[in-house]
Amino acid sequence: MQERSLSLMQMAKISSALYDYQLNKKLFYVSILTFLTIGGVTTSFGMLGDIIIAEPNAYIAFAGKRVIEQTLNKTVTSS
């Protein structure tokens, strides 16, 4: 739980710095998402990109497999 809290605090700091770079320094952020990019913070960083590139059939989710399965009461399989 503490690691998640730290991750969320870091996400706020990095998101703010990224916004500053994009707005004031006119830089763009390219996100490259690989297979199995899961977790709220990790995926959120990926979605901040101006250009988002993902592998074909990449599994991208804001929640892990266990959380999805418990929520939907179904088994999640990746193709």
Side-chain angles (χ1 to χ4, degrees), residues 11-42:
M11 186 176 82
K13 290 179 184 178
I14 293 172
S15 297
S16 176
L18 179 61
Y19 177 78
D20 180 54
Y21 277 109
Q22 289 173 319
L23 187 66
N24 298 324
K25 297 189 172 45
K26 307 295 184 209
L27 299 174
F28 64 93
Y29 173 39
V30 178
S31 295
I32 300 175
L33 304 176
T34 59
F35 180 75
L36 203 56
T37 300
I38 59 171
V41 174
T42 304

